[in-house]
């Protein structure tokens, strides 16, 4: 009995919270897998499984910058774009060399993430001097620049090597045996469709583990200290720039991984997909799921990805219902009175459950 | 040699000499007070010592090391920690996490170690927890270690700020009006705590205070600032009976 109590005390609320999230995501995955294998799921829903994972990963990683570092970034789509293109190019070029998708795809994810992280750190060095609205504007602009550069990029290979142009396909001067990799605004086609729900789930779970471990570590504490009070954080010797860059880099890395996962789910990858609407959409997931709450980000990403598709059958009223749901969710998550009402009733419910527990425990002994 | 040696320190904002030609030297283990009427430049002086402002003249030596013009972060690493007049806690973090944030630079493991939960993470975190609890116990906060800092009562927030400053393992502790807003009982308790900290951690303390009972109760020496300039310096009892000081506080 005593041992049990000690064990209970050792688990901190933060650890318990993270394991609830892991459990929830895993349970949702298993249920979905069962439904899919028994054929009870529509094609539309099956097509959404990978996007669920992509948006969840992107939202969770953006939540690190928005919720934990406390800075508004609107450039998540830009990092996803870098990850998507780098990952797809890698897969396209190594398709013949590495035949096993089980080796190639994790590498593609990793490379997509690393490329985005490099961009993130390079951009972070000048940009993170800004705060608040200014940072949001600059990251938004960065995202647009990335998208437009990729949309104007032509890359091809032939026997003489790799050719790059920013004007047109003809400008590359490819030999007849040459192969286009990026065809400007038409993007990349022919990258292997390696993304599956299983891999998406594994990557999402890993992302959540990384995220929770990061927050509950020395670095995470320092980052949250900076968020809560920058002047005090400096006074205890925390290097603001360093911690901001680490956080921004990690957000970019995971955004890149999400992008790479996304690009391996598409027949044709086009830069126009990564416009600022995507950045805003992901920010909406973060805000509605609760700033700083990783679990909330996942739930919001899944619900808000599913909703427009489910509402397709009542096409005329689709956007109406979607916006009503958005407003209701906003009221529920930001209104202290309503939140307090739910918290109080939840506590009561918890009290009933806990009250009943000791009796069963006694019987057990 | 003195632990803190300030010579001819000054800063001007436009044409205003906020601090002008201020000198003092504090010996190791001393409880030193910096007093003066409102607007005399006491907090500006603290901001100069901690690198928030860069002095326009003068030098600051801490333990023989020239720290003039260094950044706040480097000055903290050199060994000066402070509290603030208006409390600046990490209000969304728990009490213990506030102290552990202060331990960040002294208990190291890399970000990757933390993310991948390598053995060093558990070892260092255990040491951090022990150290943090030890500090919290000094201030009677160990019962509330998992409370959110913002939810602490005012007096305890002040104490937590001191605990967090001590967590950075400083040589010199600067307290900016530690007794502000406290009732006489709390002030008396705080005086005991400050003395205890000095004795237990072998700390040197420089404090700004308006509460004369605290100043005369624990400070061994005082400097009085008035309009940015040093008015008087010396033993507490001598300074407090100095007619010039009384005039500065009470007027002609």
């Amino acid at each position: 009995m005593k041992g049990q109590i000690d064990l209970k005390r050792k688990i901190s609320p933060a650890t318990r919270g993270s394991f609830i999230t892991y459990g929830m995501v895993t349970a949702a995955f298993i249920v979905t897998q069962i439904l899919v294998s028994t054929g009870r799921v529509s094609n539309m829903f099956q097509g959404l499984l990978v996007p669920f994972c992509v948006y969840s990963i992107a939202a969770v990683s953006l939540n690190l910058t928005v919720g934990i570092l406390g800075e508004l970034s609107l450039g998540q789509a830009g990092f996803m774009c870098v990850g998507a293109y780098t990952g797809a190019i890698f897969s396209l070029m190594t398709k013949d060399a590495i035949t096993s998708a089980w080796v190639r795809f994790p590498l593609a994810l990793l490379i997509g993430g690393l490329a985005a992280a490099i961009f993130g750190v390079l951009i972070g060095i000048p940009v993170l001097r800004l705060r608040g609205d200014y940072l949001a504007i600059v990251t938004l602009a960065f995202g647009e620049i990335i998208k437009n550069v990729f949309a104007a990029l032509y890359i091809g290979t032939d026997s003489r090597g790799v050719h790059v142009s920013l004007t047109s396909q003809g400008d590359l001067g490819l030999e007849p045996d040459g192969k286009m990799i990026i065809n400007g605004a038409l993007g990349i086609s022919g990258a292997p469709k390696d993304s599956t729900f299983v891999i998406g789930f594994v990557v999402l779970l890993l992302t959540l583990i990384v995220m929770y471990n990061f927050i509950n570590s020395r670095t995470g504490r320092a980052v949250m200290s900076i968020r809560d009070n920058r002047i005090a954080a400096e006074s205890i010797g925390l290097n603001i720039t360093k911690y901001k860059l680490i956080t921004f880099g990690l957000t970019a890395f995971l955004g890149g991984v999400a992008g790479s996962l996304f690009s391996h789910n598409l027949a044709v990858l086009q830069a126009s997909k990564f416009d600022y609407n995507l950045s805003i959409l992901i920010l909406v997931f973060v805000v509605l799921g609760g700033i700083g709450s990783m679990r909330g980000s996942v739930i919001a990403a899944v619900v808000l990805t599913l909703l427009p598709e489910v509402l397709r059958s009542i096409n005329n009223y689709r956007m109406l219902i979607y916006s009503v749901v958005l407003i209701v969710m906003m009221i529920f998550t930001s209104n202290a009175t309503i939140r307090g009402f739910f918290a109080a009733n939840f506590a009561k419910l918890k009290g009933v459950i806990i009250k009943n527990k000791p009796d069963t425990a006694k019987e057990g002994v | 040699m003195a632990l803190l040696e300030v010579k001819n320190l000054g800063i001007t904002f436009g044409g205003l000499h906020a601090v002008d030609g201020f000198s003092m030297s504090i010996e190791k283990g001393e409880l030193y007070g910096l007093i003066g009427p409102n607007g005399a430049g006491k907090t500006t002086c603290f901001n100069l010592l901690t690198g928030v402002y860069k002095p326009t003249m003068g030098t600051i030596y801490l333990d023989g090391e020239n720290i003039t013009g260094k950044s706040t972060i480097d000055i903290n690493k050199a060994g000066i920690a402070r509290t603030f007049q208006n409390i600046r806690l990490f209000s969304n973090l728990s009490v213990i996490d506030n102290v552990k944030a202060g331990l960040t630079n002294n208990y190291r493991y890399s970000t990757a170690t933390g993310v991948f939960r390598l053995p060093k993470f558990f070892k260092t975190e255990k040491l951090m927890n022990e150290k943090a609890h030890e500090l919290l116990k000094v201030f009677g906060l160990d019962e509330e270690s998992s409370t959110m800092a913002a939810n602490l009562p005012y007096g305890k927030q002040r104490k937590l700020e001191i605990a967090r400053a001590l967590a950075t393992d400083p040589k010199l502790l600067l307290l900016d009006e530690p007794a502000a807003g406290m009732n006489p009982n709390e002030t008396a308790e705080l005086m005991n705590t400050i003395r205890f900290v000095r004795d237990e951690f072998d700390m040197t303390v420089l404090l700004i205070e308006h509460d004369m009972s605290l100043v005369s109760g624990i400070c061994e020496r005082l400097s009085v600032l008035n309009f940015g300039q040093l008015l008087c310096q010396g033993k507490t009892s001598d300074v407090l009976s100095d007619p010039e000081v009384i005039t500065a506080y009470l007027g002609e």
Side-chain angles (χ1 to χ4, degrees):
Chain A
M1 199 70 193
K2 213 181 172 189
Q4 261 180 348
I5 291 165
D6 282 344
L7 230 156
K8 224 179 178 180
R9 270 199 194 150
K10 259 185 190 167
I11 301 169
S12 69
T15 320
R16 204 181 311 139
S18 64
F19 276 94
I20 289 174
T21 311
Y22 304 153
M24 223 183 61
V25 172
T26 314
F29 168 73
I30 292 170
V31 169
T32 318
Q33 277 300 68
I34 290 170
L35 288 179
V36 169
S37 62
T38 50
R40 285 164 194 261
V41 175
S42 67
N43 275 338
M44 181 273 290
F45 188 80
Q46 282 196 40
L48 283 176
L49 293 178
V50 174
F52 282 162
C53 300
V54 170
Y55 290 137
S56 296
I57 295 165
V60 165
S61 61
L62 182 64
N63 209 341
L64 185 65
T65 292
V66 176
I68 306 302
L69 181 62
E71 296 289 2
L72 192 56
S73 162
L74 293 176
Q76 190 69 348
F79 297 130
M80 287 174 74
C81 186
V82 172
Y85 268 78
T86 330
I89 292 169
F90 172 81
S91 290
L92 208 58
M93 291 176 103
T94 57
K95 202 160 57 171
D96 305 321
I98 312 171
T99 44
S100 163
W102 288 104
V103 180
R104 189 179 61 222
F105 191 45
L107 278 175
L109 290 176
L110 204 62
I111 285 169
L114 285 176
I118 291 168
F119 265 79
V121 172
L122 285 180
I123 288 156
I125 290 168
V127 156
L128 285 174
R129 290 165 194 273
L130 302 170
R131 265 177 276 160
D133 303 349
Y134 301 101
L135 181 70
I137 292 165
V138 173
T139 47
L140 178 71
F142 153 73
E144 286 296 296
I145 291 169
I146 292 273
K147 184 198 84 181
N148 286 320
V149 167
F150 275 110
L153 198 61
Y154 294 86
I155 296 181
T157 54
D158 60 13
S159 54
R160 289 176 297 160
V162 181
H163 301 265
V164 182
S165 165
L166 279 169
T167 47
S168 70
Q169 191 182 352
D171 205 40
L172 292 174
L174 287 184
E175 286 176 0
D177 64 324
K179 198 173 70 174
M180 284 304 288
I181 295 176
I182 305 180
N183 195 0
L186 297 175
I188 300 177
S189 48
K193 282 190 79 175
D194 288 337
S195 289
T196 61
F197 184 45
V198 178
I199 292 176
F201 160 74
V202 171
V203 177
L204 174 60
L205 199 59
L206 286 176
T207 305
L208 285 169
I209 292 172
V210 165
M211 215 46 90
Y212 279 115
N213 285 355
F214 179 83
I215 294 167
N216 298 313
S217 77
R218 174 178 164 271
T219 322
R221 250 188 325 263
V223 172
M224 289 188 285
S225 305
I226 292 166
R227 172 196 66 191
D228 278 4
N229 202 313
R230 209 175 62 91
I231 293 172
E234 271 184 340
S235 86
I236 56 168
L238 299 181
N239 188 339
I240 311 273
T241 319
K242 181 181 113 185
Y243 288 112
K244 275 189 170 181
L245 271 182
I246 292 175
T247 316
F248 208 59
L250 187 56
T251 294
F253 176 81
L254 292 168
V257 170
S260 190
L261 189 66
F262 191 48
S263 67
H264 289 77
N265 189 45
L266 300 168
V268 181
L269 171 68
Q270 287 174 335
S272 57
K273 284 204 163 63
F274 301 96
D275 62 353
Y276 97 107
N277 281 325
L278 182 63
S279 287
I280 300 286
L281 183 70
I282 290 164
L283 187 67
V284 166
F285 296 155
V286 171
V287 173
L288 288 183
I291 289 176
S293 159
M294 301 300 159
R295 199 187 306 156
S297 292
V298 176
I299 295 172
V302 171
V303 169
L304 292 182
T305 312
L306 190 60
L307 202 58
E309 302 297 331
V310 171
L311 296 179
R312 233 176 242 285
S313 50
I314 36 171
N315 216 351
N316 289 337
Y317 304 102
R318 189 157 72 107
M319 288 322 284
L320 183 70
I321 294 175
Y322 186 73
S323 47
V324 167
V325 169
L326 276 187
I327 293 167
V328 169
M329 275 177 90
M330 251 185 287
I331 292 170
F332 272 59
T333 47
S334 65
N335 188 315
T337 322
I338 295 175
R339 260 208 326 251
F341 171 78
F342 275 97
N345 282 303
F346 208 71
K348 243 186 243 165
L349 200 74
K350 239 183 186 172
V352 172
I353 295 165
I354 289 169
K355 230 187 257 165
N356 287 339
K357 242 184 191 166
D359 301 334
T360 46
K362 256 180 215 161
E363 278 167 26
V365 170
Chain B
M1 196 189 53
L3 180 79
L4 183 76
E5 191 81 59
V6 178
K7 275 196 190 124
N8 202 26
L9 191 67
I11 185 169
T12 53
F13 297 112
L16 176 77
H17 296 269
V19 175
D20 192 13
F22 176 66
S23 301
M24 77 177 160
S25 95
I26 301 176
E27 299 297 328
K28 194 169 178 348
E30 221 176 350
L31 276 171
Y32 200 102
L34 183 60
I35 63 169
N38 286 326
K42 305 180 297 290
T43 297
T44 309
C45 208
F46 263 32
N47 285 339
L48 287 171
L49 289 177
T50 52
V52 176
Y53 298 142
K54 306 277 174 262
T56 43
M57 63 184 215
T59 52
I60 308 162
Y61 279 87
L62 179 73
D63 217 2
E65 184 190 348
N66 187 353
I67 57 167
T68 322
K70 281 194 174 175
S71 71
T72 309
I73 295 160
D74 288 335
I75 286 177
N76 178 263
K77 284 179 182 164
I80 297 184
R82 72 173 293 182
T83 65
F84 296 86
Q85 193 174 352
N86 44 343
I87 303 173
R88 290 178 182 277
L89 286 172
F90 307 133
S91 40
N92 295 315
L93 298 188
S94 67
V95 168
I96 193 166
D97 278 352
N98 266 270
V99 178
K100 281 165 86 178
L103 295 170
T104 304
N105 283 338
N106 295 326
Y107 291 77
R108 289 180 168 278
Y109 57 81
S110 71
T111 305
T113 309
V115 166
F116 298 115
R117 291 287 190 261
L118 302 179
K120 198 179 171 198
F121 166 85
F122 294 102
K123 221 170 73 186
T124 318
E125 281 288 316
K126 193 166 165 262
L127 290 174
M128 283 174 110
N129 280 330
E130 282 166 6
K131 179 73 190 171
H133 273 294
E134 188 188 308
L135 277 167
L136 288 177
K137 209 166 264 173
V138 170
F139 293 91
L141 289 166
D142 53 330
E143 291 288 318
E144 282 135 313
S145 64
S146 53
T147 312
M148 214 167 54
N151 295 338
L152 279 182
Y154 184 81
K156 287 186 171 173
Q157 291 196 4
R158 286 235 169 256
K159 287 181 174 176
L160 177 57
E161 223 190 2
I162 303 177
R164 184 185 66 192
L166 282 175
T168 64
D169 196 19
K171 293 172 186 158
L172 174 67
L173 182 62
L174 308 186
L175 304 177
D176 199 344
E177 297 203 22
M182 285 189 178
N183 66 34
N185 287 336
E186 287 174 323
T187 307
E189 199 193 321
L190 181 73
M191 280 161 68
N192 287 332
T193 315
I194 294 174
R195 263 197 222 104
F196 180 83
V197 165
R198 194 262 303 263
D199 299 338
E200 185 74 15
F201 297 93
D202 204 12
M203 192 60 57
T204 313
V205 182
L206 169 63
L207 57 91
I208 293 177
E209 191 48 71
H210 279 299
D211 189 326
M212 283 304 148
S213 68
L214 187 138
V215 172
S216 57
I218 61 169
C219 291
E220 287 144 1
R221 287 199 299 152
L222 292 180
S223 283
V224 187
L225 273 176
N226 196 21
F227 296 114
Q229 285 177 325
L230 187 65
L231 190 69
C232 180
Q233 206 164 42
K235 272 196 178 146
T236 303
S237 53
D238 298 345
V239 169
L240 289 181
S241 56
D242 189 296
E244 263 193 87
V245 174
I246 293 167
T247 314
Y249 263 94
L250 300 177
E252 297 285 339

